[in-house]
Coordinates of all heavy atoms in Angstrom, one line a residue:
L110 N 104.5 100.5 84.2 CA 105.3 100.1 85.3 C 106.1 98.8 85.0 O 105.8 98.1 84.1 CB 104.4 99.8 86.5 CG 103.6 101.1 87.1 CD1 102.6 100.6 88.1 CD2 104.6 102.1 87.8
R111 N 107.2 98.7 85.7 CA 107.9 97.4 85.6 C 107.0 96.3 86.1 O 106.2 96.6 87.0 CB 109.2 97.5 86.5 CG 110.3 98.3 86.0 CD 111.4 98.5 87.0 NE 111.9 97.2 87.5 CZ 112.9 97.1 88.5 NH1 113.4 98.3 88.9 NH2 113.3 96.0 88.9
P112 N 107.2 95.0 85.7 CA 106.3 93.9 86.1 C 106.2 93.8 87.7 O 105.1 93.7 88.2 CB 106.9 92.7 85.5 CG 107.5 93.2 84.2 CD 108.0 94.6 84.6
I113 N 107.4 93.9 88.3 CA 107.3 93.8 89.8 C 106.6 95.0 90.5 O 106.0 94.7 91.5 CB 108.8 93.7 90.3 CG1 108.7 93.1 91.7 CG2 109.5 95.0 90.3 CD1 108.2 91.7 91.9
E114 N 106.6 96.2 89.8 CA 105.8 97.3 90.4 C 104.3 97.0 90.1 O 103.5 97.4 91.0 CB 106.2 98.6 89.6 CG 107.7 99.0 90.0 CD 108.1 100.1 89.1 OE1 107.6 100.2 87.9 OE2 109.1 100.9 89.5
R115 N 104.0 96.4 88.9 CA 102.6 96.1 88.6 C 102.0 95.2 89.8 O 100.7 95.4 90.0 CB 102.4 95.5 87.2 CG 102.6 96.6 86.2 CD 102.9 96.0 84.8 NE 101.7 95.3 84.3 CZ 101.7 94.6 83.2 NH1 102.8 94.6 82.4 NH2 100.6 94.0 82.8
V116 N 102.8 94.3 90.2 CA 102.3 93.4 91.3 C 101.6 94.2 92.4 O 100.6 93.8 92.9 CB 103.4 92.5 91.9 CG1 103.0 91.8 93.2 CG2 103.9 91.5 90.8
F117 N 102.3 95.2 92.8 CA 101.8 96.0 94.1 C 100.8 97.0 93.6 O 100.0 97.5 94.4 CB 103.0 96.5 94.8 CG 103.8 95.5 95.4 CD1 104.9 94.9 94.9 CD2 103.3 94.9 96.7 CE1 105.6 93.9 95.5 CE2 104.0 93.9 97.3 CZ 105.1 93.4 96.6
H118 N 100.7 97.5 92.3 CA 99.7 98.3 91.8 C 98.4 97.5 92.0 O 97.3 98.1 92.3 CB 99.9 98.7 90.4 CG 99.0 99.7 89.9 ND1 99.2 101.0 89.6 CD2 97.7 99.6 89.5 CE1 98.2 101.6 89.2 NE2 97.2 100.8 89.1
Y119 N 98.4 96.2 91.6 CA 97.2 95.4 91.6 C 96.8 94.8 93.0 O 95.7 94.4 93.2 CB 97.4 94.2 90.7 CG 97.8 94.5 89.2 CD1 98.5 93.6 88.5 CD2 97.4 95.7 88.7 CE1 98.9 93.9 87.2 CE2 97.8 96.0 87.4 CZ 98.5 95.1 86.6 OH 98.9 95.4 85.3
M120 N 97.7 94.9 93.9 CA 97.4 94.3 95.2 C 96.2 94.9 96.0 O 95.5 94.0 96.7 CB 98.7 94.4 96.2 CG 98.8 93.4 97.2 SD 99.0 91.7 96.6 CE 100.7 91.7 96.1
P121 N 95.9 96.2 95.9 CA 94.6 96.5 96.5 C 93.4 95.7 96.1 O 92.4 95.5 96.9 CB 94.5 98.0 96.1 CG 95.9 98.4 95.9 CD 96.6 97.2 95.2
L122 N 93.4 95.2 94.8 CA 92.2 94.5 94.4 C 92.3 93.0 95.1 O 91.2 92.4 95.3 CB 92.2 94.3 92.9 CG 92.2 95.6 92.1 CD1 92.2 95.3 90.6 CD2 90.9 96.4 92.5
E123 N 93.5 92.6 95.3 CA 93.6 91.2 95.9 C 93.2 91.3 97.3 O 92.8 90.3 97.9 CB 95.1 90.8 95.8 CG 95.4 89.4 96.3 CD 96.7 88.9 95.9 OE1 97.2 89.1 94.8 OE2 97.4 88.2 96.7
H124 N 93.3 92.5 98.0 CA 93.0 92.6 99.3 C 91.5 93.0 99.5 O 91.0 93.0 100.6 CB 93.7 93.7 100.0 CG 95.2 93.4 100.2 ND1 96.3 94.3 100.2 CD2 95.8 92.1 100.3 CE1 97.4 93.7 100.3 NE2 97.2 92.3 100.4
S125 N 90.7 93.1 98.5 CA 89.3 93.6 98.5 C 88.4 92.4 98.9 O 88.7 91.2 98.5 CB 88.9 94.1 97.1 OG 87.5 94.4 97.0
E126 N 87.4 92.7 99.5 CA 86.4 91.6 99.9 C 85.2 91.6 98.8 O 84.1 91.2 99.2 CB 85.9 91.8 101.3 CG 87.0 91.4 102.3 CD 86.6 91.5 103.7 OE1 85.8 92.4 104.1 OE2 87.0 90.6 104.5
V127 N 85.4 92.2 97.7 CA 84.4 92.3 96.6 C 84.9 91.4 95.5 O 85.9 91.4 95.0 CB 84.3 93.8 96.1 CG1 83.4 93.8 94.9 CG2 83.8 94.7 97.3
L128 N 84.0 90.4 95.2 CA 84.4 89.4 94.2 C 84.7 90.0 92.8 O 85.7 89.5 92.2 CB 83.2 88.3 94.1 CG 83.5 87.2 93.1 CD1 84.7 86.4 93.6 CD2 82.3 86.3 93.0
E129 N 84.1 91.0 92.4 CA 84.4 91.7 91.1 C 85.9 92.2 91.1 O 86.6 92.0 90.2 CB 83.5 92.9 90.9 CG 83.7 93.6 89.6 CD 82.8 94.8 89.3 OE1 81.9 95.0 90.3 OE2 82.9 95.4 88.3
D130 N 86.3 92.8 92.2 CA 87.7 93.1 92.3 C 88.6 91.9 92.3 O 89.7 92.0 91.6 CB 87.9 93.9 93.7 CG 87.3 95.2 93.7 OD1 87.1 95.8 92.7 OD2 87.1 95.7 94.8
Q131 N 88.3 90.8 92.9 CA 89.1 89.6 92.8 C 89.2 89.1 91.4 O 90.2 88.6 91.0 CB 88.4 88.6 93.7 CG 88.6 88.9 95.3 CD 90.0 88.9 95.8 OE1 90.8 88.2 95.3 NE2 90.2 89.7 96.9
D132 N 88.1 89.1 90.7 CA 88.0 88.6 89.3 C 89.0 89.4 88.5 O 89.8 88.9 87.7 CB 86.7 88.6 88.7 CG 85.7 87.6 89.4 OD1 86.2 86.6 89.8 OD2 84.5 87.8 89.2
R133 N 88.9 90.7 88.7 CA 89.8 91.6 87.9 C 91.3 91.4 88.3 O 92.1 91.4 87.4 CB 89.4 93.1 88.2 CG 90.1 94.1 87.2 CD 89.6 95.5 87.4 NE 90.0 96.3 86.3 CZ 89.7 97.7 86.2 NH1 89.1 98.3 87.3 NH2 90.1 98.4 85.3
C134 N 91.6 91.2 89.5 CA 92.9 91.0 90.0 C 93.5 89.7 89.4 O 94.6 89.8 88.9 CB 92.9 90.9 91.6 SG 94.6 90.8 92.2
V135 N 92.8 88.7 89.4 CA 93.3 87.4 88.8 C 93.5 87.6 87.3 O 94.6 87.1 86.9 CB 92.3 86.2 89.1 CG1 92.6 85.0 88.3 CG2 92.2 85.9 90.6
A136 N 92.6 88.3 86.6 CA 92.9 88.5 85.2 C 94.2 89.3 84.9 O 94.9 89.1 84.0 CB 91.6 89.2 84.6
L137 N 94.4 90.4 85.8 CA 95.5 91.1 85.7 C 96.7 90.4 85.9 O 97.7 90.6 85.1 CB 95.4 92.4 86.6 CG 94.4 93.5 86.2 CD1 94.2 94.4 87.4 CD2 94.9 94.2 85.1
F138 N 96.8 89.5 86.8 CA 97.9 88.7 87.1 C 98.1 87.7 86.1 O 99.3 87.4 85.7 CB 97.9 88.0 88.5 CG 98.4 88.9 89.6 CD1 97.4 89.5 90.5 CD2 99.7 89.2 89.7 CE1 98.0 90.4 91.5 CE2 100.2 90.1 90.8 CZ 99.3 90.6 91.6
E139 N 97.1 87.1 85.5 CA 97.3 86.2 84.4 C 97.9 86.9 83.2 O 98.8 86.3 82.5 CB 95.8 85.7 83.9 CG 95.2 84.6 84.9 CD 93.8 84.3 84.5 OE1 93.3 85.0 83.5 OE2 93.2 83.4 85.1
R140 N 97.5 88.1 82.9 CA 98.1 88.8 81.7 C 99.6 89.1 82.1 O 100.4 88.9 81.2 CB 97.4 90.0 81.6 CG 97.9 90.9 80.3 CD 97.0 92.1 80.0 NE 97.0 93.1 81.1 CZ 96.3 94.2 81.0 NH1 95.4 94.4 80.1 NH2 96.5 95.0 82.1
L141 N 99.8 89.5 83.4 CA 101.2 89.9 83.7 C 102.1 88.6 83.6 O 103.3 88.7 83.0 CB 101.3 90.3 85.2 CG 102.5 90.8 85.8 CD1 103.2 91.9 84.9 CD2 102.4 91.2 87.2
V142 N 101.7 87.4 83.9 CA 102.5 86.3 83.8 C 102.9 86.0 82.3 O 104.0 85.7 82.0 CB 101.8 85.0 84.3 CG1 102.5 83.8 84.0 CG2 101.7 85.1 85.9
Q143 N 102.0 86.3 81.5 CA 102.2 86.1 80.0 C 103.1 87.1 79.4 O 103.9 86.9 78.4 CB 100.9 86.1 79.3 CG 99.9 84.9 79.6 CD 100.6 83.6 79.5 OE1 101.2 83.3 78.4 NE2 100.5 82.8 80.4
E144 N 103.2 88.3 80.0 CA 104.0 89.3 79.6 C 105.4 89.5 80.0 O 106.2 90.2 79.4 CB 103.2 90.7 79.8 CG 101.9 90.8 79.0 CD 101.2 92.1 79.3 OE1 101.5 92.9 80.2 OE2 100.2 92.3 78.6
V145 N 105.8 88.8 81.1 CA 107.1 88.8 81.6 C 108.0 87.9 80.8 O 107.5 87.0 80.1 CB 107.2 88.5 83.1 CG1 106.3 89.4 84.0 CG2 106.7 87.1 83.3
P146 N 109.3 88.2 80.8 CA 110.2 87.2 80.2 C 110.1 85.8 80.6 O 109.8 85.6 81.8 CB 111.6 87.8 80.5 CG 111.4 89.2 80.9 CD 110.0 89.3 81.4

Side-chain angles (χ1 to χ4, degrees):
L110 295 169
R111 288 170 55 180
I113 198 64
E114 296 170 332
R115 287 166 66 182
V116 168
F117 290 96
H118 186 110
Y119 303 152
M120 202 66 72
L122 301 179
E123 187 170 321
H124 290 152
S125 173
E126 293 187 315
V127 176
L128 186 57
E129 181 181 1
D130 289 337
Q131 293 290 331
D132 288 339
R133 190 175 193 184
C134 183
V135 168
L137 288 165
F138 276 108
E139 285 175 352
R140 184 173 68 185
L141 183 57
V142 171
Q143 295 304 312
E144 292 178 351
V145 298

